[in-house]
Structures are given as structure tokens and as C-alpha cells.
Amino acid sequence: MIKQIFELPIIDKSNVIEGRIEAYFKAYGGAYDFCRFYSGDNILMMNYCGEFFISVKDGFDKEELYFFLKSGGMTSATMDSFCYKALGEMLADFSSEPLYLMQSENVAEADGGDFTESYSEVFSVIKDAFGISDEGFSGWYTDICHRVRHNVSRLIVLEGFTASCTVLYENESECFLSHIGVKKEYQGKGLGKKLLRNANRLLKNKKLSLLCKWDKREFYKSCGFICKDEPTAYQIVKER
């Protein structure tokens, strides 16, 4: 039976969904209604502000999971590929986007970037690069401040706040990156590669990992990343 939990089971460090769940548990635990954690037989998931993150293993009850998500009013989720394929036609009302795991293999180093806690300046990069409205600042600011304070996440920027990325979480050997963006007026000038090279230096050559959409794979390959042939996860959104 799926139930809310206040302690995590043993995490599969190679699973990027479980890595994200563990990172948010370190930051929030079970103390906040907007960030809840659940487990069932071979199921681990998180509901963060209405978006589900789901990892499953062989033998999970797909009907139980589906009805739990349906009763919870799920409108968007990121789930591992095994879960997505197992649920199959149950997700007919959702559009889906495959996500590919990129991992650094031969990323060079560069100087010029640094860690920062200048949140409004970083948000200006994210807002411009990803088309986020000003209304999104409050939620993003509250979340990232909390995660930085709890030593879960960090922010990296290039000089002049032209580009930035978020270290969503890290462990002894790996750093998982997200929100890798360059302001529109500076795009096409090599700043994306420079940002990743700075991140590689600042993070002391730990393995860099990230999830990206199909059309971004070649860019990351050109930066020294390798890609698994099959999608690692799927992002799904309920169609209106």
C-alpha cells in the first residue's frame, strides 16, 4: 500500500529521480505539506507543489500507483522510463517528453565563473533563458534559498550574470545540474560551454550529470558529455 513516509528507504544513487527525491528530503523532510514523500512496494515518489517525481522497480503494482496518482489530482510528473512504459495506456490523457541522461566524460575546465547567492540576478538569467514570468520568482526564491541553506543545492554564474546553472544535488562522486541557461542576448557566443567548463572546475571534476530533451543532446555532446541511447525518464503533462 502506498503511504506517506517521514524516513526514506535506501536510495539507488544511480537513479536520478531517486537522487532528486533524496535531495528534497534532506531539505524539507516531512515537515511541509507542499513537499510530501510516499512509498509502496517497489515505489518511491515525491509530490512537490503538485508535481510528482516517481521511481519504481520491477514488481510494483501499476494499478495501485495509477489510482493513487489519479486520486491525488496529478497534472504533471517526471517518472523513470520503466514506470512510464509500465503505465502505458493509463497515461493516454497526458502528453509526454522523453528525457535523456547526459554524463560528463571529457569536459574541459575554464576560469571566470563562481558560486553565488545573488538570487535575483540568477533568476533574471533563468527568467530570460526559459521564459519564466516574474510571478515565478517568489516560489523559486523560497525553494532555492531553503535548499542552499540546507547545503543541498548551489548556484553557479558567469561574470556579468550572463549565464547560470543550479547544482540541484551532489554526492561524493557526482553533481546533478539543472536550469542551465544563457540570457537570450548572449546566446550563440559559446557561453553555455564556458558555463559547464567553469562548473567542472568549481565542482572539482566530479562527474556532472543532467537530464535534457532530445534537441539538446548534441550540444551537451559537444561539451564533452555522453548520452544513453534510450530515455532515462519522461516528463508528462495532463492535456487540457
Side-chain angles (χ1 to χ4, degrees), residues 135-234:
E135 287 73 22
F137 176 74
S138 178
W140 174 86
Y141 174 78
T142 301
D143 178 41
I144 192 64
C145 283
H146 193 89
R147 287 189 280 122
V148 169
R149 272 201 319 273
H150 284 78
N151 298 314
V152 171
S153 299
R154 293 192 277 179
L155 298 171
I156 295 174
V157 293
L158 291 185
E159 62 278 5
F161 295 95
T162 55
S164 71
C165 68
T166 300
V167 182
L168 185 62
Y169 65 85
E170 58 187 298
N171 54 40
E172 296 80 9
S173 60
E174 179 182 26
C175 296
F176 189 86
L177 306 181
S178 69
H179 288 91
I180 302 160
V182 178
K183 282 187 174 180
K184 290 179 181 177
E185 63 183 293
Y186 298 102
Q187 291 176 6
K189 300 180 180 181
L191 294 185
K193 286 185 178 180
K194 184 177 180 181
L195 175 66
L196 291 169
R197 290 170 177 172
N198 274 272
N200 191 40
R201 172 181 58 83
L202 291 167
L203 297 168
K204 304 185 185 303
N205 284 308
K206 288 183 179 181
K207 181 189 291 183
L208 306 181
S209 298
L210 58 97
L211 288 175
C212 76
K213 298 179 179 179
W214 172 267
D215 60 343
K216 301 297 183 184
R217 293 161 73 240
E218 293 306 316
F219 165 73
Y220 289 111
K221 287 180 181 179
S222 73
C223 295
F225 287 75
I226 57 174
C227 177
K228 292 190 174 183
D229 293 333
E230 296 296 323
T232 294
Y234 282 81

Side-chain angles (χ1 to χ4, degrees), residues 5-219:
I5 57 174
F6 300 92
E7 292 184 6
L8 285 187
I10 296 174
I11 295 296
D12 178 0
K13 299 291 186 182
S14 66
N15 184 306
V16 295
I17 304 295
E18 293 193 16
R20 185 184 187 114
I21 292 173
E22 182 183 44
Y24 272 73
F25 188 85
K26 287 179 178 177
Y28 292 107
Y32 299 88
D33 286 341
F34 63 83
C35 187
R36 294 186 175 186
F37 304 87
Y38 302 90
S39 72
D41 291 338
N42 298 312
I43 297 171
L44 179 65
M45 60 183 164
M46 170 179 74
N47 179 352
Y48 177 75
C49 293
E51 181 176 5
F52 285 83
F53 295 85
I54 309 163
S55 171
V56 301
K57 295 179 172 58
D58 192 27
F60 84 100
D61 188 329
K62 62 182 182 181
E63 284 79 13
E64 180 190 18
L65 176 59
Y66 171 73
F67 286 112
F68 179 89
L69 296 172
K70 184 177 180 180
S71 65
M74 182 186 74
T75 58
S76 63
T78 301
M79 59 183 63
D80 59 40
S81 293
F82 180 64
C83 180
Y84 176 80
K85 292 174 182 177
L87 292 180
E89 293 183 357
M90 295 178 180
L91 300 176
D93 293 338
F94 292 80
S95 60
S96 63
E97 182 87 51
L99 301 175
Y100 294 84
L101 179 62
M102 311 295 301
Q103 294 182 305
S104 60
E105 183 179 61
N106 189 28
V107 178
E109 291 187 10
D111 294 323
D114 207 348
F115 296 110
T116 184
E117 291 186 20
S118 298
Y119 299 109
S120 59
E121 287 85 353
V122 171
F123 185 77
S124 72
V125 178
I126 294 173
K127 173 187 169 184
D128 191 60
F130 298 101
I132 300 173
S133 69
D134 287 329
E135 287 73 22
F137 176 74
S138 178
W140 174 86
Y141 174 78
T142 301
D143 178 41
I144 192 64
C145 283
H146 193 89
R147 287 189 280 122
V148 169
R149 272 201 319 273
H150 284 78
N151 298 314
V152 171
S153 299
R154 293 192 277 179
L155 298 171
I156 295 174
V157 293
L158 291 185
E159 62 278 5
F161 295 95
T162 55
S164 71
C165 68
T166 300
V167 182
L168 185 62
Y169 65 85
E170 58 187 298
N171 54 40
E172 296 80 9
S173 60
E174 179 182 26
C175 296
F176 189 86
L177 306 181
S178 69
H179 288 91
I180 302 160
V182 178
K183 282 187 174 180
K184 290 179 181 177
E185 63 183 293
Y186 298 102
Q187 291 176 6
K189 300 180 180 181
L191 294 185
K193 286 185 178 180
K194 184 177 180 181
L195 175 66
L196 291 169
R197 290 170 177 172
N198 274 272
N200 191 40
R201 172 181 58 83
L202 291 167
L203 297 168
K204 304 185 185 303
N205 284 308
K206 288 183 179 181
K207 181 189 291 183
L208 306 181
S209 298
L210 58 97
L211 288 175
C212 76
K213 298 179 179 179
W214 172 267
D215 60 343
K216 301 297 183 184
R217 293 161 73 240
E218 293 306 316
F219 165 73

